[in-house]
Every structure is written in structure tokens, then in C-alpha cells.
Amino acid sequence: MAPFLLLIDANLSKSKLRQTAYAFLLPPDLKTKARWMNLEPLIAWTRRVQQFLDDPQAGLAKAQAPEDLQVLEEKIGWIRRYREPLAEWSMLMEAVAVILQYIRTHGYHRDAVDELRARVASFQTESLEDFFTEVLAFVGRQASQAETVEQGDRRLPGSTEVLESLIGAGKQLQGRNKNGYTKAVLAMAASVVKCTAETIQHALEATPARDVAGWISDKLGISLAAQRSRALTVHASGTKPN
């Protein structure tokens, strides 16, 4: 049974549950963009509702809702048929979480496939075999590119989260400026360096201030704020008191 059938049934159930005494069972609002992110919250909701239906009287008493089991079954009983596939989908989501966490933390490198295969071994079943084969093949292709790294750890980042964090740090360093990057962009590179007295001394000796000024002039030019200030300067009109 495909997960998109669960999505269809969940959407149909909204009209049956909304504006009723059982509206507290409504499925979560789902994304219209990045729809692949809908599966995890939908599965979590389905598991909770299934647990509720295992003992509906107790759940209704806690929610102080009317105990009309026939109406309840008509509105949400459809979820029972997903009990078996839900166990497999839940296992899949747990495996995906392990894979994503590993790639975020360790990136792509020579031993990535072997290490990742060991981490997901407990999740592998016959029905998920094709999924893991495809994932490990993809990781292998990405990891093979790490061999082209000429020095250092020979691993490639597997997530843009580090880059996004660096961009966020750059915005903080720039302060209130919202009109593009200024010379403060150089501080973004400096912020990821292990700063020691030797590092600072080497940097000052290797890169003269005139080279930095030349790079800023060639690569950045003047900022939008500076352009606006220069082009739209208005001389005092005499309308304000001296």
C-alpha cells in the first residue's frame, strides 16, 4: 500500500471531522511545497490515532468528548487498514533519520558506505532492500568524489546546513546592513579559522592591507548604501532652522 493513499484518506477525513465533537482528531496541515516532508508528521499522527482507537472510550473520556463509537468509526475508522503498512513506513522513517544524521555529521568519505551500511543493518528487510541499495549506491558515488581532494581529511560535506549557518553568521557580522555584502564578508572566512596568535601573525605577514583593500575594490566595489548616499545627496534647502 502506497503512502500517498494515506495522504488522500487523511485529506478526505478533514471534512468529516471539522466542526464536529471529534475535531481534536484532525490530521495535521500538510505542506503544498516540499511535499516529501509531509510523510513524517502524517505517520506520527496516524500512529497516535491508531493508539486512540485501541481504547476509544478512555480517549474520549480524557477529551471530554461524546461517546458515540458508531459515529467515531464512520469518521476515522478507515485508519485501521493502515496498521500493517504503517509499521514498515515507521521503520523506513527511522532509517532515513539515521542516514541523514550520519551524512550531516560525517559527510562523504572513503569509508562512508561501509559505516552507513552497518548503521542501517537493523532496519533492512526484504521489502526495503531496494531502498537501501539505492541509498548506498548514491552515497558511494558521492564518496568517490572525495578521493579527488588533494589534502586534508578527504571528505566532502553532505549537507548545506554548514553553509547556511555560515551565511547566518555573515549576516550577523554585517549588522544592520541589508543592501548586500560589504567588506565585512571577509569576516565570514575568518570566523571558521582556529584563531591562534601564530595564525594571526602568519595572516598579517602573508596578506598586506593593500592587497585586502584591492580585493574589496575589485570584487565588491561600493555598497548599495554608499551608491545611494553619493547619488542622492541633497543639499540643505534652508527649510530647517539653523
Side-chain angles (χ1 to χ4, degrees):
M1 185 179 293
F4 78 87
L5 294 177
L6 174 61
L7 175 63
I8 294 174
D9 284 336
N11 282 331
L12 290 175
S13 72
K14 285 187 175 182
S15 60
K16 297 179 181 179
L17 292 169
R18 190 176 285 113
Q19 304 298 329
T20 72
Y22 305 113
F24 60 90
L25 295 173
L26 275 169
D29 291 329
L30 303 177
K31 299 177 181 292
T32 55
K33 297 181 179 179
R35 286 177 290 179
W36 60 272
M37 297 178 67
N38 287 330
L39 189 56
E40 185 174 2
L42 190 58
I43 287 177
W45 169 80
T46 304
R47 294 180 68 175
R48 291 195 299 269
V49 174
Q50 284 187 347
Q51 291 176 355
F52 170 86
L53 290 177
D54 288 341
D55 188 3
Q57 289 94 339
L60 292 172
K62 292 178 181 179
Q64 298 182 2
E67 188 176 316
D68 192 334
L69 299 184
Q70 181 177 352
V71 172
L72 185 66
E73 189 68 25
E74 292 174 356
K75 294 183 180 300
I76 203 69
W78 58 267
I79 212 167
R80 298 181 191 278
R81 64 175 176 268
Y82 288 96
R83 187 174 297 276
E84 290 186 8
L86 186 65
E88 181 177 291
W89 298 340
S90 298
M91 181 183 297
L92 176 61
M93 296 306 300
E94 291 178 20
V96 168
V98 170
I99 294 169
L100 291 177
Q101 180 61 28
Y102 177 85
I103 296 300
R104 285 173 179 148
T105 305
H106 301 282
Y108 298 109
H109 56 96
R110 183 180 58 188
D111 300 321
V113 172
D114 291 337
E115 292 181 3
L116 192 55
R117 182 182 287 112
R119 292 182 182 233
V120 300
S122 61
F123 297 104
Q124 295 194 38
T125 62
E126 183 177 353
S127 59
L128 297 179
E129 182 177 354
D130 291 343
F131 167 77
F132 286 111
T133 298
E134 185 175 348
V135 168
L136 292 174
F138 175 83
V139 172
R141 290 193 298 271
Q142 301 303 310
S144 65
Q145 299 181 47
E147 297 300 320
T148 63
V149 179
E150 296 180 358
Q151 58 185 357
D153 192 20
R154 290 203 171 193
R155 68 178 61 213
L156 298 174
S159 171
T160 60
E161 291 174 351
V162 175
L163 179 60
E164 293 166 2
S165 177
L166 181 59
I167 293 174
K171 291 180 179 179
Q172 290 183 332
L173 291 169
Q174 296 244 123
R176 296 183 178 181
N177 175 59
K178 298 181 180 180
N179 296 311
Y181 287 107
T182 65
K183 58 187 177 182
V185 71
L186 294 174
M188 293 172 63
S191 68
V192 297
V193 174
K194 185 177 182 181
C195 191
T196 64
E198 292 77 11
T199 301
I200 295 174
Q201 181 178 354
H202 177 74
L204 292 174
E205 292 174 351
T207 310
R210 64 176 178 273
D211 289 349
V212 176
W215 184 91
I216 292 171
S217 177
D218 292 341
K219 303 299 183 181
L220 298 179
I222 62 174
S223 66
L224 290 176
Q227 288 179 318
R228 184 179 296 109
S229 177
R230 295 181 185 186
L232 303 179
T233 299
V234 179
H235 297 288
S237 61
T239 57
K240 293 184 179 180
N242 292 328

